[in-house]
Amino acid sequence: MGRPMLLAAALSAVGTLPGAATAPDEATVVRSGALRGLSGASCAELGCNATYVPGRACQCNSMCGSLQICCADYEEQCSNITTLTATTPSPALTPAAGGVVPSVAPKDAMSYKGMAWADLSIAGIGEMHFFGIGDWGGLDGSLLPTGGRARLIVYKGGHTAGPHVFPRSRWNKDHSELLCSHDDFVQCYDTSGASCSSGCGFVEGVDTQPQQLVAAAFKERAAKNKPKFVVNVGDNFYWGGLEINCGSISATTQHQFDQVFEGIYSGPGLEGAPWLSVLGNHDWGGRVFNNGWDQQIAYTWASNRWVMPAPYWSQTVHFTDLGFSVDVFMIDSNAMDAKEPTEDPEHNLCSSLNNPSGASCSSAGGPPSVDECRDFFWGLWQEQQPW
């Protein structure tokens, strides 16, 4: 699956920010009247906010323009927060004592590679908890993709709100015998198990809502143990991450985050806990490299808990009253799924069979072409070694 690795003292996180919101040198970024307003709510009703507020049909904060999720009356009602002063980040950010939190998204998703995010200080004595999770994101069946993309619907009922499942084929332990093909599994879902191969092992109520069940256990434990942060190791959205092209801006980003993340992982014990995040191979696109991975990075600047400022980055956590600190290194190991264009099309980000003609993420700082894709990912992996 190309899962990002975790390093250092049992903790680790990674992230990266896309070029959704650009920041010219010492420039003033003004949200223009061209912003696409979303219907269903208004800033007059909701009020102007400094940060993203989960569960709203549209937003009234200074970053809503970068994701095109502003309410229709945003500029009229919130003129006092429509102007931001932006400065260009240092071209070579290095981990430093205390770290930094840039006030704006970088020029592209690679600008903050290797940065040290601002230190997190946690007071108190006694047992401390953090949670780890990965490979958690489902299909957003209610999404209506743009740009000619197909809806993420695999089986009957998959069009409804909330995360859905992509049924995977199942093999025996040695992976020598296919027990249940994808099509066999889909039939199980279509018939609620009434017509289903025994090799699929389908269980109604379990296979139909795995993310919800894990989230329920996650939230139950969070209410009890109150994790100080969450280490999120990738594969955040299936099948291929955010269903937009890299380098583009779309309300698709907010829709998928609302359906698959914001509306699923919330509640007592999780409020305010930062999600230290990285990209999995499915977040880059699974069998392609040109999906909206950069928008997951950009979401760092539109959320009060999602932290993914770059493909690889670091976080220091100080347990001030316990007298120790933890360095968390978030890395991107997706080079393991970056092969020659003609190889293994089902498990290859650089596949010439699955990537569209002319695929390029150069505007977001990513792979410029299918032919240069493998070198990009292995170069990204190699530059992390001395870091």
Side-chain angles (χ1 to χ4, degrees), residues 163-249:
H164 292 275
V165 179
F166 184 87
R168 300 292 301 273
S169 56
R170 288 184 172 174
W171 296 73
N172 65 350
K173 183 178 180 180
D174 296 329
H175 209 73
S176 60
E177 179 184 357
L178 178 63
L179 303 177
C180 179
S181 69
H182 168 71
D183 290 340
D184 290 337
F185 220 161
V186 169
Q187 186 175 10
C188 298
Y189 283 81
D190 284 343
T191 64
S192 298
S195 177
C196 181
S197 169
S198 60
C200 296
F202 177 83
V203 179
E204 178 72 21
V206 175
D207 287 298
T208 52
Q209 53 177 356
Q211 185 178 348
Q212 293 90 328
L213 292 174
V214 171
F218 195 86
K219 291 190 286 187
E220 181 180 1
R221 185 60 63 89
K224 177 182 178 182
N225 292 327
K226 296 178 175 54
K228 304 308 179 184
F229 55 92
V230 177
V231 175
N232 169 30
V233 299
D235 280 1
N236 311 318
F237 299 94
Y238 265 72
W239 166 246
L242 298 179
E243 287 295 319
I244 51 176
N245 289 337
C246 54
S248 61
I249 301 172

Side-chain angles (χ1 to χ4, degrees), residues 43-376:
C43 295
E45 173 189 357
L46 299 173
C48 301
N49 307 99
T51 60
Y52 168 77
V53 180
R56 290 184 170 175
C58 57
Q59 296 292 319
C60 302
N61 62 71
S62 60
M63 288 304 294
C64 67
S66 69
L67 295 175
Q68 293 192 345
I69 55 172
C70 297
C71 294
D73 64 343
Y74 168 70
E75 291 188 0
E76 175 186 354
Q77 297 294 328
C78 306
S79 59
N80 62 318
I81 61 169
T82 57
T83 301
L84 302 175
T85 298
T87 57
T88 301
S90 167
L93 287 170
T94 57
V100 295
V101 178
S103 60
V104 294
K107 284 188 172 183
D108 64 49
M110 300 293 154
S111 294
Y112 293 162
K113 291 185 298 183
M115 75 173 302
W117 198 248
D119 289 6
L120 178 63
S121 294
I122 299 172
I125 59 175
E127 192 171 84
M128 296 289 178
H129 296 265
F130 74 97
F131 285 5
I133 190 170
D135 209 0
W136 51 266
L139 300 173
D140 182 0
S142 61
L143 175 69
L144 300 177
T146 59
R149 289 173 175 260
R151 293 186 66 178
L152 301 174
I153 301 173
V154 182
Y155 48 80
K156 292 179 181 178
H159 65 285
T160 56
H164 292 275
V165 179
F166 184 87
R168 300 292 301 273
S169 56
R170 288 184 172 174
W171 296 73
N172 65 350
K173 183 178 180 180
D174 296 329
H175 209 73
S176 60
E177 179 184 357
L178 178 63
L179 303 177
C180 179
S181 69
H182 168 71
D183 290 340
D184 290 337
F185 220 161
V186 169
Q187 186 175 10
C188 298
Y189 283 81
D190 284 343
T191 64
S192 298
S195 177
C196 181
S197 169
S198 60
C200 296
F202 177 83
V203 179
E204 178 72 21
V206 175
D207 287 298
T208 52
Q209 53 177 356
Q211 185 178 348
Q212 293 90 328
L213 292 174
V214 171
F218 195 86
K219 291 190 286 187
E220 181 180 1
R221 185 60 63 89
K224 177 182 178 182
N225 292 327
K226 296 178 175 54
K228 304 308 179 184
F229 55 92
V230 177
V231 175
N232 169 30
V233 299
D235 280 1
N236 311 318
F237 299 94
Y238 265 72
W239 166 246
L242 298 179
E243 287 295 319
I244 51 176
N245 289 337
C246 54
S248 61
I249 301 172
S250 170
T252 292
T253 297
Q254 193 64 65
H255 196 286
Q256 288 188 250
F257 265 98
D258 280 347
Q259 294 293 314
V260 180
F261 174 66
E262 300 288 2
I264 303 298
Y265 303 104
S266 60
L270 290 175
E271 299 96 336
W275 282 58
L276 313 181
S277 304
V278 293
L279 297 166
N281 66 315
H282 284 269
D283 298 310
W284 283 92
R287 296 179 294 185
V288 300
F289 65 79
N290 71 324
N291 276 5
W293 52 270
D294 55 331
Q295 288 294 296
Q296 290 197 46
I297 295 172
Y299 197 70
T300 301
W301 280 260
S303 170
N304 58 8
R305 57 177 179 156
W306 184 266
V307 186
M308 186 194 285
Y312 65 93
W313 57 282
S314 66
Q315 170 82 74
T316 296
V317 183
H318 302 291
F319 294 90
T320 55
D321 295 326
L322 293 175
F324 74 94
S325 299
V326 175
D327 289 328
V328 182
F329 292 91
M330 309 303 283
I331 70 175
D332 189 300
S333 63
N334 287 294
M336 313 309 157
D337 272 336
K339 307 168 186 176
E340 294 295 341
T342 57
E343 292 181 20
D344 192 10
E346 296 306 306
H347 304 90
N348 185 3
L349 293 167
C350 305
S351 168
S352 57
L353 177 65
N354 293 309
N355 275 286
S357 176
S360 175
C361 288
S362 58
S363 64
S369 69
V370 168
D371 289 339
E372 298 167 277
C373 174
R374 182 183 181 278
D375 287 345
F376 170 86

